[in-house]
Amino acid sequence: MADKVKGFVEKIVYRNADNAYTVLSLAEGDEETTLVGYFSSISEGEYIEAEGSFTAHSVYGEQFKVSRYEVKEPEDALAMEKYLGSGAIKGIGVSLAARIVKKFGDDTFRIIEEEPERLAEIKGISERKAREISAQFEEKREMRRAAIFLARYGISNAYGVKIYARYGEGMYEVLKTNPYRLADDIRGIGFKLADEIAGKMGIDPASEFRIKAGLVYVLQIAAGNGHTFLPYEELLKEAGELLSCEVAEAERLIKELILERRITRKEIDGIDAVYLISFYHMELNVARMLKDLNQSYKIAESKIKAKIKGIEEEIGITLDDMQKTALTEAARSGVLVVTGGPGTGKTTTINAIIRFFESEQMEMLLAAPTGRAAKRMKETTGYEAQTIHRLLEVSGNPEGEDVKSEFNRNELNPLEADVIIIDEMSMVDISLMHALLKAIPVGTRLILVGDVNQLPSVGPGNVLRDIIASHTFNVVSLTKIFRQAMDSDIIVNAHKIHAGEQIALDNKSKDFFMLKRDDVTMILRVILSLVMEKMPSYVDAGPLDVQVLTPMRKGELGVERLNKFLQTYLNPPEDFKKERLFGETIFREGDKVMQIKNNYQIEWEVKGKGGYTIDSGTGVFNGDVGIIKFINEFAEFMEIEFDDGRVVEYPFSGLDELELAYAITIHKSQGSEYPAVVLPLLTGPRMLFNRNLLYTAVTRAKKCVTIVGSEKTVESMIANENEMKRYSGLKVAINEV
């Protein structure tokens, strides 16, 4: 049985406006209790009854953790005066509350509701003010009624706040007729939760609303897996499994969704493709904008040759023919793609291109998809570089459907530069490419740099590959491995893997090792030894700088198990370390964590010496890695410092955006470079354990790669050139616009 407490809200100690998490002091007679929990609408002076449990906090003592609560109407004059004088109703202070209650006594609340004009009988209250007081009183009553109604259907107070803010009194109609609107309108409520609510509301599982929402949900899940569309038959199959609906009914409702312009259908390379309308338009717009940028610039051959000679003398390197071609095409092309594997001179090429445009007094902007990639770009070029999100000035407002709501830089406020260079293009998905191109005016040169053989972006689309495959833009492929790179077996083996050639696993290398183990327990022990002892001293780094990469999330050597295992030894529990349990994950001070979804609203700051803020902004993005510096159990937030120095406060309600990062998937490692990589490979699904995945993992290491596991698995991955199919239509769109 749950414990119960009741009393007046004496003081609101802390309240998070975003998620309604509140700490308050509750008074009943001489008793005072600290309550913590999510309160959709609460004001000092209100009388509440709450259910929950008493907990002992190590710092703040006894607290009552609220699971549900109900605001009770004050029934006597004293309680009414206390409520009105608390500041709950704007414009009424302590003295005015006393005069109102003295005048109307126990009838005060009925007067405010039914005869608000009578408030004007009291000195200091005009008829206009009387109407305002009544309106506020009614609004608070309705918010309380809404919270109680939503709680009956298992909707948390945090979501309740968002639902009432979005629909107001219209929420009852939405919930009773089509709860699936919540999935479209309320951030954080997806189809699964909306479907659960619909079931509790008694909505027919065969309703049109449910099947339409389910079809859209299947396409959204596909986008989460990297696709911009799904084949028609595949959509029908997956929707049938999810919704248990008739094929004929799903086909009919697909037609309705097309008429409603929520989805569209088009033939893509012989595939009957079904798109969410947003991704369809993104691909069309990206194709059109790229073609608009792809202008030709006439520059004399003699001038370019002279410039190249001067640049070679300046940097003390003789460029090879393909590097010279890249520089020439950069000078003459509106859009240029430079691609190549490790050790092929991409950095040297980009530095030469930068010097060319500098000599022409042209303004340049450099960017990459992640903070780590941007930092490395700055270090290797000596030129200021930033994330694409920061380049576009992320606005912190992701609620709108149009990209303009996410970024301050767009077609109305374009970037000011003659040349824009984007590195690690394999990581850029269709949404980010769309946002970037909207901010680049025609006449600006765009240079896209990346390794096309890396895994595609985590987000939907196959942008770099589709641009190259369209055969519409100038592409320079750097293939020569330079002499200094030949000394690295990491680089040599990466190219062998890409070519499908088997590699030597005899441990005669200085930077590429294979520790053969066929037992999971032994593999775990070896990983721990490598991360804690062997690798840090070998590459001159700390244990947290050694990155464990794995193909899978689940399984005996998946991310989830590896993180729990590594956390136990790398950051064990200590009396002085605070921690927070979220789901099945323990977050502890000192833990290495990763952001797993884009959050455009969360605020960050960079602190200088003495703790002063030297920079600030909004936005933390998928793949950003940091360390938990501090956990505040009372105010319920944790402070995380990311690799690039940004410090962010995460409310406990936002911990679903974080996961431990001692081990991460190879896919999540894109764009990053680590001093040492440890790669456990034993068994796994053939479609996942392929050449492309192994190539990407190996090229993440700067100084050392150590594979732990089965030699046969490594050999089969190299032989397996089958990649997981990714459905995208940008190539077709480029060729059609």
Side-chain angles (χ1 to χ4, degrees), residues 220-228 279 282 425-432 455-463 596 598 622 667-668 670 726-728:
Q220 289 170 337
I221 291 297
N225 291 325
H227 309 295
T228 58
F279 289 122
M282 278 183 197
M425 262 302 299
S426 63
M427 296 182 65
V428 176
D429 62 27
I430 193 67
S431 302
L432 189 56
L455 288 169
S457 58
V458 174
N462 220 353
V463 176
I596 58 171
N598 289 339
N622 194 347
H667 227 129
K668 287 282 190 182
Q670 284 176 271
R726 178 168 285 215
Y727 298 115
S728 65

PDB file of all heavy atoms in Angstrom, residues 220-228 279 282 425-432 455-463 596 598 622 667-668 670 726-728:
ATOM      1  N   GLN A 220       8.642   5.809 -40.111  1.00  0.00           N
ATOM      2  CA  GLN A 220       9.531   6.516 -39.184  1.00  0.00           C
ATOM      3  C   GLN A 220      10.606   5.575 -38.638  1.00  0.00           C
ATOM      4  O   GLN A 220      11.775   5.965 -38.496  1.00  0.00           O
ATOM      5  CB  GLN A 220       8.712   7.109 -38.030  1.00  0.00           C
ATOM      6  CG  GLN A 220       7.836   8.283 -38.443  1.00  0.00           C
ATOM      7  CD  GLN A 220       6.868   8.693 -37.350  1.00  0.00           C
ATOM      8  OE1 GLN A 220       6.530   7.907 -36.462  1.00  0.00           O
ATOM      9  NE2 GLN A 220       6.388   9.921 -37.410  1.00  0.00           N
ATOM     10  N   ILE A 221      10.223   4.338 -38.334  1.00  0.00           N
ATOM     11  CA  ILE A 221      11.196   3.344 -37.872  1.00  0.00           C
ATOM     12  C   ILE A 221      12.213   3.073 -38.973  1.00  0.00           C
ATOM     13  O   ILE A 221      13.419   2.943 -38.725  1.00  0.00           O
ATOM     14  CB  ILE A 221      10.481   2.044 -37.453  1.00  0.00           C
ATOM     15  CG1 ILE A 221       9.671   2.277 -36.171  1.00  0.00           C
ATOM     16  CG2 ILE A 221      11.476   0.911 -37.254  1.00  0.00           C
ATOM     17  CD1 ILE A 221      10.514   2.648 -34.969  1.00  0.00           C
ATOM     18  N   ALA A 222      11.738   3.007 -40.222  1.00  0.00           N
ATOM     19  CA  ALA A 222      12.644   2.798 -41.360  1.00  0.00           C
ATOM     20  C   ALA A 222      13.647   3.943 -41.447  1.00  0.00           C
ATOM     21  O   ALA A 222      14.831   3.721 -41.713  1.00  0.00           O
ATOM     22  CB  ALA A 222      11.844   2.691 -42.655  1.00  0.00           C
ATOM     23  N   ALA A 223      13.175   5.172 -41.217  1.00  0.00           N
ATOM     24  CA  ALA A 223      14.077   6.332 -41.229  1.00  0.00           C
ATOM     25  C   ALA A 223      15.126   6.202 -40.130  1.00  0.00           C
ATOM     26  O   ALA A 223      16.300   6.531 -40.328  1.00  0.00           O
ATOM     27  CB  ALA A 223      13.282   7.628 -41.061  1.00  0.00           C
ATOM     28  N   GLY A 224      14.707   5.676 -38.973  1.00  0.00           N
ATOM     29  CA  GLY A 224      15.656   5.443 -37.888  1.00  0.00           C
ATOM     30  C   GLY A 224      16.705   4.410 -38.242  1.00  0.00           C
ATOM     31  O   GLY A 224      17.794   4.392 -37.674  1.00  0.00           O
ATOM     32  N   ASN A 225      16.385   3.557 -39.205  1.00  0.00           N
ATOM     33  CA  ASN A 225      17.344   2.552 -39.681  1.00  0.00           C
ATOM     34  C   ASN A 225      18.092   3.007 -40.927  1.00  0.00           C
ATOM     35  O   ASN A 225      18.778   2.204 -41.571  1.00  0.00           O
ATOM     36  CB  ASN A 225      16.616   1.235 -39.971  1.00  0.00           C
ATOM     37  CG  ASN A 225      16.110   0.568 -38.709  1.00  0.00           C
ATOM     38  OD1 ASN A 225      16.753   0.647 -37.662  1.00  0.00           O
ATOM     39  ND2 ASN A 225      14.945  -0.066 -38.778  1.00  0.00           N
ATOM     40  N   GLY A 226      17.947   4.277 -41.301  1.00  0.00           N
ATOM     41  CA  GLY A 226      18.743   4.846 -42.384  1.00  0.00           C
ATOM     42  C   GLY A 226      18.047   4.988 -43.718  1.00  0.00           C
ATOM     43  O   GLY A 226      18.635   5.515 -44.661  1.00  0.00           O
ATOM     44  N   HIS A 227      16.786   4.548 -43.831  1.00  0.00           N
ATOM     45  CA  HIS A 227      16.086   4.592 -45.115  1.00  0.00           C
ATOM     46  C   HIS A 227      15.287   5.888 -45.263  1.00  0.00           C
ATOM     47  O   HIS A 227      14.670   6.351 -44.300  1.00  0.00           O
ATOM     48  CB  HIS A 227      15.118   3.412 -45.242  1.00  0.00           C
ATOM     49  CG  HIS A 227      15.733   2.076 -44.957  1.00  0.00           C
ATOM     50  ND1 HIS A 227      16.724   1.537 -45.753  1.00  0.00           N
ATOM     51  CD2 HIS A 227      15.504   1.167 -43.970  1.00  0.00           C
ATOM     52  CE1 HIS A 227      17.073   0.352 -45.263  1.00  0.00           C
ATOM     53  NE2 HIS A 227      16.358   0.110 -44.179  1.00  0.00           N
ATOM     54  N   THR A 228      15.254   6.433 -46.477  1.00  0.00           N
ATOM     55  CA  THR A 228      14.364   7.565 -46.726  1.00  0.00           C
ATOM     56  C   THR A 228      13.022   7.095 -47.272  1.00  0.00           C
ATOM     57  O   THR A 228      12.066   7.866 -47.307  1.00  0.00           O
ATOM     58  CB  THR A 228      14.984   8.586 -47.704  1.00  0.00           C
ATOM     59  OG1 THR A 228      15.301   7.923 -48.936  1.00  0.00           O
ATOM     60  CG2 THR A 228      16.230   9.219 -47.119  1.00  0.00           C
ATOM     61  N   PHE A 279      10.740  13.467 -46.216  1.00  0.00           N
ATOM     62  CA  PHE A 279      11.981  12.958 -46.808  1.00  0.00           C
ATOM     63  C   PHE A 279      11.948  13.033 -48.334  1.00  0.00           C
ATOM     64  O   PHE A 279      12.981  13.247 -48.969  1.00  0.00           O
ATOM     65  CB  PHE A 279      12.248  11.528 -46.341  1.00  0.00           C
ATOM     66  CG  PHE A 279      12.638  11.437 -44.898  1.00  0.00           C
ATOM     67  CD1 PHE A 279      11.905  10.668 -44.010  1.00  0.00           C
ATOM     68  CD2 PHE A 279      13.726  12.137 -44.410  1.00  0.00           C
ATOM     69  CE1 PHE A 279      12.254  10.600 -42.677  1.00  0.00           C
ATOM     70  CE2 PHE A 279      14.083  12.078 -43.081  1.00  0.00           C
ATOM     71  CZ  PHE A 279      13.344  11.307 -42.205  1.00  0.00           C
ATOM     72  N   MET A 282      12.778  16.569 -49.067  1.00  0.00           N
ATOM     73  CA  MET A 282      14.189  16.830 -48.757  1.00  0.00           C
ATOM     74  C   MET A 282      15.086  16.366 -49.895  1.00  0.00           C
ATOM     75  O   MET A 282      15.990  17.083 -50.312  1.00  0.00           O
ATOM     76  CB  MET A 282      14.588  16.133 -47.456  1.00  0.00           C
ATOM     77  CG  MET A 282      14.215  16.883 -46.206  1.00  0.00           C
ATOM     78  SD  MET A 282      14.814  15.992 -44.744  1.00  0.00           S
ATOM     79  CE  MET A 282      13.839  16.769 -43.476  1.00  0.00           C
ATOM     80  N   MET A 425      31.979  13.684 -44.816  1.00  0.00           N
ATOM     81  CA  MET A 425      30.681  13.751 -45.461  1.00  0.00           C
ATOM     82  C   MET A 425      29.911  12.435 -45.402  1.00  0.00           C
ATOM     83  O   MET A 425      28.684  12.427 -45.539  1.00  0.00           O
ATOM     84  CB  MET A 425      30.843  14.166 -46.925  1.00  0.00           C
ATOM     85  CG  MET A 425      30.619  15.631 -47.193  1.00  0.00           C
ATOM     86  SD  MET A 425      28.997  16.245 -46.703  1.00  0.00           S
ATOM     87  CE  MET A 425      27.908  15.244 -47.735  1.00  0.00           C
ATOM     88  N   SER A 426      30.588  11.316 -45.191  1.00  0.00           N
ATOM     89  CA  SER A 426      29.866  10.041 -45.119  1.00  0.00           C
ATOM     90  C   SER A 426      28.886  10.034 -43.948  1.00  0.00           C
ATOM     91  O   SER A 426      27.924   9.268 -43.939  1.00  0.00           O
ATOM     92  CB  SER A 426      30.846   8.875 -44.982  1.00  0.00           C
ATOM     93  OG  SER A 426      31.578   8.979 -43.777  1.00  0.00           O
ATOM     94  N   MET A 427      29.113  10.904 -42.956  1.00  0.00           N
ATOM     95  CA  MET A 427      28.257  10.961 -41.773  1.00  0.00           C
ATOM     96  C   MET A 427      27.030  11.846 -41.955  1.00  0.00           C
ATOM     97  O   MET A 427      26.129  11.837 -41.114  1.00  0.00           O
ATOM     98  CB  MET A 427      29.049  11.514 -40.582  1.00  0.00           C
ATOM     99  CG  MET A 427      30.201  10.677 -40.131  1.00  0.00           C
ATOM    100  SD  MET A 427      30.973  11.453 -38.705  1.00  0.00           S
ATOM    101  CE  MET A 427      29.649  11.322 -37.512  1.00  0.00           C
ATOM    102  N   VAL A 428      26.989  12.631 -43.009  1.00  0.00           N
ATOM    103  CA  VAL A 428      25.922  13.626 -43.164  1.00  0.00           C
ATOM    104  C   VAL A 428      24.669  12.963 -43.736  1.00  0.00           C
ATOM    105  O   VAL A 428      24.698  12.385 -44.816  1.00  0.00           O
ATOM    106  CB  VAL A 428      26.384  14.782 -44.067  1.00  0.00           C
ATOM    107  CG1 VAL A 428      25.249  15.768 -44.305  1.00  0.00           C
ATOM    108  CG2 VAL A 428      27.588  15.490 -43.443  1.00  0.00           C
ATOM    109  N   ASP A 429      23.556  13.061 -42.996  1.00  0.00           N
ATOM    110  CA  ASP A 429      22.307  12.467 -43.473  1.00  0.00           C
ATOM    111  C   ASP A 429      21.517  13.485 -44.287  1.00  0.00           C
ATOM    112  O   ASP A 429      21.909  14.645 -44.424  1.00  0.00           O
ATOM    113  CB  ASP A 429      21.482  11.907 -42.310  1.00  0.00           C
ATOM    114  CG  ASP A 429      21.052  12.966 -41.309  1.00  0.00           C
ATOM    115  OD1 ASP A 429      20.920  14.153 -41.679  1.00  0.00           O
ATOM    116  OD2 ASP A 429      20.821  12.610 -40.139  1.00  0.00           O
ATOM    117  N   ILE A 430      20.373  13.049 -44.826  1.00  0.00           N
ATOM    118  CA  ILE A 430      19.616  13.899 -45.745  1.00  0.00           C
ATOM    119  C   ILE A 430      19.057  15.131 -45.045  1.00  0.00           C
ATOM    120  O   ILE A 430      18.994  16.216 -45.642  1.00  0.00           O
ATOM    121  CB  ILE A 430      18.482  13.086 -46.435  1.00  0.00           C
ATOM    122  CG1 ILE A 430      17.897  13.862 -47.621  1.00  0.00           C
ATOM    123  CG2 ILE A 430      17.416  12.677 -45.450  1.00  0.00           C
ATOM    124  CD1 ILE A 430      18.854  14.046 -48.774  1.00  0.00           C
ATOM    125  N   SER A 431      18.664  15.013 -43.780  1.00  0.00           N
ATOM    126  CA  SER A 431      18.099  16.155 -43.055  1.00  0.00           C
ATOM    127  C   SER A 431      19.142  17.250 -42.852  1.00  0.00           C
ATOM    128  O   SER A 431      18.867  18.437 -43.073  1.00  0.00           O
ATOM    129  CB  SER A 431      17.554  15.707 -41.693  1.00  0.00           C
ATOM    130  OG  SER A 431      16.588  14.714 -41.841  1.00  0.00           O
ATOM    131  N   LEU A 432      20.350  16.852 -42.430  1.00  0.00           N
ATOM    132  CA  LEU A 432      21.403  17.836 -42.184  1.00  0.00           C
ATOM    133  C   LEU A 432      21.881  18.443 -43.499  1.00  0.00           C
ATOM    134  O   LEU A 432      22.164  19.649 -43.574  1.00  0.00           O
ATOM    135  CB  LEU A 432      22.567  17.182 -41.434  1.00  0.00           C
ATOM    136  CG  LEU A 432      23.652  18.115 -40.906  1.00  0.00           C
ATOM    137  CD1 LEU A 432      23.061  19.191 -40.008  1.00  0.00           C
ATOM    138  CD2 LEU A 432      24.713  17.327 -40.143  1.00  0.00           C
ATOM    139  N   LEU A 455      31.001   3.454 -43.341  1.00  0.00           N
ATOM    140  CA  LEU A 455      29.579   3.189 -43.164  1.00  0.00           C
ATOM    141  C   LEU A 455      28.782   4.452 -43.485  1.00  0.00           C
ATOM    142  O   LEU A 455      29.274   5.567 -43.293  1.00  0.00           O
ATOM    143  CB  LEU A 455      29.298   2.789 -41.714  1.00  0.00           C
ATOM    144  CG  LEU A 455      29.781   1.408 -41.274  1.00  0.00           C
ATOM    145  CD1 LEU A 455      29.661   1.282 -39.761  1.00  0.00           C
ATOM    146  CD2 LEU A 455      28.988   0.311 -41.956  1.00  0.00           C
ATOM    147  N   PRO A 456      27.559   4.315 -43.977  1.00  0.00           N
ATOM    148  CA  PRO A 456      26.734   5.494 -44.235  1.00  0.00           C
ATOM    149  C   PRO A 456      26.306   6.164 -42.929  1.00  0.00           C
ATOM    150  O   PRO A 456      26.538   5.633 -41.838  1.00  0.00           O
ATOM    151  CB  PRO A 456      25.527   4.931 -44.992  1.00  0.00           C
ATOM    152  CG  PRO A 456      25.463   3.494 -44.585  1.00  0.00           C
ATOM    153  CD  PRO A 456      26.878   3.062 -44.342  1.00  0.00           C
ATOM    154  N   SER A 457      25.668   7.305 -43.042  1.00  0.00           N
ATOM    155  CA  SER A 457      25.257   8.087 -41.877  1.00  0.00           C
ATOM    156  C   SER A 457      24.335   7.291 -40.960  1.00  0.00           C
ATOM    157  O   SER A 457      23.631   6.379 -41.397  1.00  0.00           O
ATOM    158  CB  SER A 457      24.527   9.355 -42.337  1.00  0.00           C
ATOM    159  OG  SER A 457      23.399   9.007 -43.125  1.00  0.00           O
ATOM    160  N   VAL A 458      24.316   7.668 -39.679  1.00  0.00           N
ATOM    161  CA  VAL A 458      23.387   7.052 -38.733  1.00  0.00           C
ATOM    162  C   VAL A 458      21.959   7.446 -39.099  1.00  0.00           C
ATOM    163  O   VAL A 458      21.040   6.635 -39.049  1.00  0.00           O
ATOM    164  CB  VAL A 458      23.719   7.483 -37.286  1.00  0.00           C
ATOM    165  CG1 VAL A 458      22.672   6.965 -36.320  1.00  0.00           C
ATOM    166  CG2 VAL A 458      25.102   6.981 -36.884  1.00  0.00           C
ATOM    167  N   GLY A 459      21.772   8.708 -39.486  1.00  0.00           N
ATOM    168  CA  GLY A 459      20.454   9.193 -39.877  1.00  0.00           C
ATOM    169  C   GLY A 459      20.089   8.753 -41.280  1.00  0.00           C
ATOM    170  O   GLY A 459      20.899   8.160 -42.005  1.00  0.00           O
ATOM    171  N   PRO A 460      18.857   9.035 -41.713  1.00  0.00           N
ATOM    172  CA  PRO A 460      18.376   8.551 -43.013  1.00  0.00           C
ATOM    173  C   PRO A 460      19.108   9.159 -44.199  1.00  0.00           C
ATOM    174  O   PRO A 460      19.521  10.311 -44.174  1.00  0.00           O
ATOM    175  CB  PRO A 460      16.888   8.946 -43.013  1.00  0.00           C
ATOM    176  CG  PRO A 460      16.785  10.039 -42.006  1.00  0.00           C
ATOM    177  CD  PRO A 460      17.823   9.767 -40.970  1.00  0.00           C
ATOM    178  N   GLY A 461      19.263   8.350 -45.243  1.00  0.00           N
ATOM    179  CA  GLY A 461      19.874   8.823 -46.482  1.00  0.00           C
ATOM    180  C   GLY A 461      21.218   8.176 -46.753  1.00  0.00           C
ATOM    181  O   GLY A 461      21.809   7.524 -45.890  1.00  0.00           O
ATOM    182  N   ASN A 462      21.675   8.380 -47.973  1.00  0.00           N
ATOM    183  CA  ASN A 462      22.958   7.837 -48.435  1.00  0.00           C
ATOM    184  C   ASN A 462      23.637   8.946 -49.228  1.00  0.00           C
ATOM    185  O   ASN A 462      23.993   8.772 -50.392  1.00  0.00           O
ATOM    186  CB  ASN A 462      22.689   6.620 -49.327  1.00  0.00           C
ATOM    187  CG  ASN A 462      23.677   5.501 -49.082  1.00  0.00           C
ATOM    188  OD1 ASN A 462      24.642   5.667 -48.339  1.00  0.00           O
ATOM    189  ND2 ASN A 462      23.458   4.370 -49.712  1.00  0.00           N
ATOM    190  N   VAL A 463      23.769  10.104 -48.594  1.00  0.00           N
ATOM    191  CA  VAL A 463      24.034  11.362 -49.285  1.00  0.00           C
ATOM    192  C   VAL A 463      25.310  11.330 -50.116  1.00  0.00           C
ATOM    193  O   VAL A 463      25.290  11.585 -51.323  1.00  0.00           O
ATOM    194  CB  VAL A 463      24.056  12.538 -48.283  1.00  0.00           C
ATOM    195  CG1 VAL A 463      24.442  13.840 -48.992  1.00  0.00           C
ATOM    196  CG2 VAL A 463      22.689  12.690 -47.620  1.00  0.00           C
ATOM    197  N   ILE A 596      22.687  10.193 -27.493  1.00  0.00           N
ATOM    198  CA  ILE A 596      22.237   9.273 -28.536  1.00  0.00           C
ATOM    199  C   ILE A 596      21.122   9.833 -29.401  1.00  0.00           C
ATOM    200  O   ILE A 596      20.576   9.136 -30.252  1.00  0.00           O
ATOM    201  CB  ILE A 596      21.795   7.917 -27.937  1.00  0.00           C
ATOM    202  CG1 ILE A 596      20.675   8.107 -26.917  1.00  0.00           C
ATOM    203  CG2 ILE A 596      22.987   7.201 -27.326  1.00  0.00           C
ATOM    204  CD1 ILE A 596      20.056   6.798 -26.444  1.00  0.00           C
ATOM    205  N   ASN A 598      19.707  13.904 -31.204  1.00  0.00           N
ATOM    206  CA  ASN A 598      19.895  15.351 -31.285  1.00  0.00           C
ATOM    207  C   ASN A 598      18.950  16.045 -30.307  1.00  0.00           C
ATOM    208  O   ASN A 598      17.754  15.761 -30.279  1.00  0.00           O
ATOM    209  CB  ASN A 598      19.623  15.861 -32.697  1.00  0.00           C
ATOM    210  CG  ASN A 598      20.694  15.449 -33.679  1.00  0.00           C
ATOM    211  OD1 ASN A 598      21.811  15.120 -33.284  1.00  0.00           O
ATOM    212  ND2 ASN A 598      20.378  15.462 -34.952  1.00  0.00           N
ATOM    213  N   ASN A 622      23.704  13.767 -31.443  1.00  0.00           N
ATOM    214  CA  ASN A 622      23.912  12.326 -31.523  1.00  0.00           C
ATOM    215  C   ASN A 622      25.393  12.003 -31.734  1.00  0.00           C
ATOM    216  O   ASN A 622      25.993  12.441 -32.703  1.00  0.00           O
ATOM    217  CB  ASN A 622      23.076  11.793 -32.699  1.00  0.00           C
ATOM    218  CG  ASN A 622      22.936  10.293 -32.666  1.00  0.00           C
ATOM    219  OD1 ASN A 622      23.635   9.606 -31.931  1.00  0.00           O
ATOM    220  ND2 ASN A 622      22.039   9.777 -33.474  1.00  0.00           N
ATOM    221  N   HIS A 667      29.101   1.887 -35.758  1.00  0.00           N
ATOM    222  CA  HIS A 667      28.344   2.921 -36.457  1.00  0.00           C
ATOM    223  C   HIS A 667      28.439   4.267 -35.742  1.00  0.00           C
ATOM    224  O   HIS A 667      28.587   5.319 -36.367  1.00  0.00           O
ATOM    225  CB  HIS A 667      26.877   2.497 -36.572  1.00  0.00           C
ATOM    226  CG  HIS A 667      26.327   2.679 -37.944  1.00  0.00           C
ATOM    227  ND1 HIS A 667      25.671   1.697 -38.629  1.00  0.00           N
ATOM    228  CD2 HIS A 667      26.342   3.748 -38.784  1.00  0.00           C
ATOM    229  CE1 HIS A 667      25.301   2.135 -39.825  1.00  0.00           C
ATOM    230  NE2 HIS A 667      25.699   3.381 -39.936  1.00  0.00           N
ATOM    231  N   LYS A 668      28.351   4.228 -34.400  1.00  0.00           N
ATOM    232  CA  LYS A 668      28.394   5.470 -33.620  1.00  0.00           C
ATOM    233  C   LYS A 668      29.793   6.095 -33.594  1.00  0.00           C
ATOM    234  O   LYS A 668      29.954   7.246 -33.192  1.00  0.00           O
ATOM    235  CB  LYS A 668      27.945   5.195 -32.189  1.00  0.00           C
ATOM    236  CG  LYS A 668      26.456   4.958 -32.036  1.00  0.00           C
ATOM    237  CD  LYS A 668      25.674   6.250 -32.071  1.00  0.00           C
ATOM    238  CE  LYS A 668      24.230   6.022 -31.669  1.00  0.00           C
ATOM    239  NZ  LYS A 668      23.442   7.253 -31.743  1.00  0.00           N
ATOM    240  N   GLN A 670      31.667   6.757 -36.134  1.00  0.00           N
ATOM    241  CA  GLN A 670      31.987   7.507 -37.354  1.00  0.00           C
ATOM    242  C   GLN A 670      32.392   8.945 -37.039  1.00  0.00           C
ATOM    243  O   GLN A 670      31.811   9.593 -36.177  1.00  0.00           O
ATOM    244  CB  GLN A 670      30.767   7.537 -38.275  1.00  0.00           C
ATOM    245  CG  GLN A 670      30.516   6.247 -38.998  1.00  0.00           C
ATOM    246  CD  GLN A 670      29.240   6.336 -39.800  1.00  0.00           C
ATOM    247  OE1 GLN A 670      28.182   6.036 -39.300  1.00  0.00           O
ATOM    248  NE2 GLN A 670      29.353   6.781 -41.030  1.00  0.00           N
ATOM    249  N   ARG A 726      20.313  -0.061 -47.981  1.00  0.00           N
ATOM    250  CA  ARG A 726      19.777   1.217 -47.519  1.00  0.00           C
ATOM    251  C   ARG A 726      18.985   1.841 -48.655  1.00  0.00           C
ATOM    252  O   ARG A 726      19.519   2.088 -49.734  1.00  0.00           O
ATOM    253  CB  ARG A 726      20.917   2.131 -47.060  1.00  0.00           C
ATOM    254  CG  ARG A 726      20.432   3.504 -46.602  1.00  0.00           C
ATOM    255  CD  ARG A 726      21.514   4.298 -45.893  1.00  0.00           C
ATOM    256  NE  ARG A 726      21.747   3.818 -44.545  1.00  0.00           N
ATOM    257  CZ  ARG A 726      22.066   4.593 -43.514  1.00  0.00           C
ATOM    258  NH1 ARG A 726      22.172   5.892 -43.674  1.00  0.00           N
ATOM    259  NH2 ARG A 726      22.273   4.084 -42.327  1.00  0.00           N
ATOM    260  N   TYR A 727      17.713   2.110 -48.416  1.00  0.00           N
ATOM    261  CA  TYR A 727      16.847   2.672 -49.448  1.00  0.00           C
ATOM    262  C   TYR A 727      16.937   4.198 -49.435  1.00  0.00           C
ATOM    263  O   TYR A 727      16.626   4.840 -48.427  1.00  0.00           O
ATOM    264  CB  TYR A 727      15.395   2.254 -49.221  1.00  0.00           C
ATOM    265  CG  TYR A 727      15.165   0.767 -49.299  1.00  0.00           C
ATOM    266  CD1 TYR A 727      14.756   0.054 -48.166  1.00  0.00           C
ATOM    267  CD2 TYR A 727      15.350   0.068 -50.490  1.00  0.00           C
ATOM    268  CE1 TYR A 727      14.539  -1.320 -48.228  1.00  0.00           C
ATOM    269  CE2 TYR A 727      15.139  -1.304 -50.556  1.00  0.00           C
ATOM    270  CZ  TYR A 727      14.739  -1.987 -49.422  1.00  0.00           C
ATOM    271  OH  TYR A 727      14.522  -3.341 -49.484  1.00  0.00           O
ATOM    272  N   SER A 728      17.390   4.764 -50.538  1.00  0.00           N
ATOM    273  CA  SER A 728      17.434   6.223 -50.679  1.00  0.00           C
ATOM    274  C   SER A 728      17.261   6.579 -52.146  1.00  0.00           C
ATOM    275  O   SER A 728      17.608   5.790 -53.028  1.00  0.00           O
ATOM    276  CB  SER A 728      18.758   6.786 -50.144  1.00  0.00           C
ATOM    277  OG  SER A 728      19.845   6.335 -50.934  1.00  0.00           O
TER     278      SER A 728
END
